[in-house]
Amino acid sequence: AQSVTQPDIHITVSEGASLELRCNYSYGATPYLFWYVQSPGQGLQLLLKYFSGDTLVQGIKGFEAEFKRSQSSFNLRKPSVHWSDAAEYFCAVGAAAAGNKLTFGGGTRVLVKP
Amino acid sequence: EAGVTQFPSHSVIEKGQTVTLRCDPISGHDNLYWYRRVMGKEIKFLLHFVKESKQDESGMPNNRFLAERTGGTYSTLKVQPAELEDSGVYFCASSQGRIGEKLFFGSGTQLSVL
């Protein structure tokens, strides 16, 4: 069975500092990997996705993620955080045969200090 | 374009009562998904409709949950009778295609069973 682990429940970062959110997955084949963000009162919004090809994926809002098969990781990064990045971030894994039936991690809540 | 709409945004009911959640997907999206997040845990898949047909309902917790999508447009998720452990946030999402197509989420229904 596939699973996703986000080791950090909360992260506090200063505005302008860099951010890295960790995601580790367990899946038998090549996974489809996603990062979603949920801002207060909003639905989940897709930041980026990895299906194949270049292992460094660029997303919206200045985010990027790197797929590392050897480490079963798909960490999310942003070089300089803005106050509006305060939100909860979810890593998810899917399979081609399962459509958009995704397995999510527990989420990481990001707080941004001025 | 209008996004995925869920109603109500919040619902507070007593144990044993019935609650019906509604989801209006983006027009033209054949695929509709229900997910649930219980008590800050992982977001978990409940079921998947393709048009009016249930494609995958493997995530439905038990027979107290009934999902319908008559006419392949909006969907309802009824919980009858509700139990304390049903409390959580119920998300609906839709997509035009399957894997690879962007999944659009609603802002969720916060269900509290007292």
Side-chain angles (χ1 to χ4, degrees):
Chain A
Q2 54 201 36
S3 66
V4 179
T5 302
Q6 294 180 244
D8 304 304
I9 298 175
H10 292 98
I11 285 182
T12 300
V13 61
S14 296
E15 191 168 14
S18 63
L19 174 69
E20 181 168 16
L21 304 183
R22 296 182 290 165
C23 172
N24 293 95
Y25 67 90
S26 173
Y27 186 64
T30 300
Y32 293 169
L33 294 159
F34 306 82
W35 274 100
Y36 283 86
V37 60
Q38 185 182 22
S39 299
Q42 305 294 315
L44 280 76
Q45 181 182 23
L46 179 67
L47 284 175
L48 47 79
K49 60 186 179 183
Y50 172 77
F51 286 179
S52 64
D54 192 347
T55 56
L56 185 62
V57 181
Q58 301 298 319
I60 62 170
K61 305 186 178 187
F63 284 92
E64 66 177 25
E66 186 171 14
F67 171 58
K68 292 185 177 180
R69 184 189 302 275
S70 62
Q71 299 177 20
S72 296
S73 70
F74 189 57
N75 294 349
L76 181 71
R77 297 192 294 258
K78 185 169 184 177
S80 177
V81 168
H82 186 261
W83 63 266
S84 59
D85 293 322
E88 192 161 19
Y89 293 78
F90 297 91
C91 182
V93 64
N100 271 324
K101 177 183 179 181
L102 303 180
T103 299
F104 284 86
T108 298
R109 187 170 296 278
V110 173
L111 303 176
V112 180
K113 295 190 301 184
Chain B
E1 67 180 11
V4 176
T5 305
Q6 291 188 246
F7 182 83
S9 57
H10 294 82
S11 180
V12 181
I13 62 172
E14 293 188 351
K15 176 183 172 180
Q17 290 186 321
T18 297
V19 62
T20 300
L21 314 181
R22 173 170 170 145
C23 169
D24 286 77
I26 292 173
S27 178
H29 282 192
D30 288 340
N31 293 274
L32 186 149
Y33 302 80
W34 284 98
Y35 284 84
R36 177 175 76 167
R37 189 182 193 195
V38 173
M39 288 298 291
K41 295 188 176 179
E42 296 87 356
I43 299 169
K44 288 190 179 290
F45 168 84
L46 295 179
L47 87 159
H48 170 207
F49 284 100
V50 178
K51 297 184 180 179
E52 66 275 10
S53 299
K54 292 177 185 175
Q55 184 76 12
D56 181 351
E57 53 184 330
S58 61
M60 295 289 265
N62 50 60
N63 59 10
R64 294 186 294 103
F65 288 75
L66 175 65
E68 295 180 322
R69 192 182 182 195
T70 307
T73 55
Y74 71 91
S75 174
T76 58
L77 180 64
K78 182 163 71 174
V79 185
Q80 180 182 29
E83 299 288 345
L84 300 179
E85 63 265 26
D86 300 332
S87 296
V89 181
Y90 290 77
F91 292 102
C92 175
S94 72
S95 68
Q96 195 162 26
R98 299 189 67 195
I99 196 76
E101 294 290 332
K102 187 175 179 179
L103 195 58
F104 292 84
F105 279 83
S107 55
T109 294
Q110 173 77 57
L111 175 64
S112 299
V113 183
L114 307 179

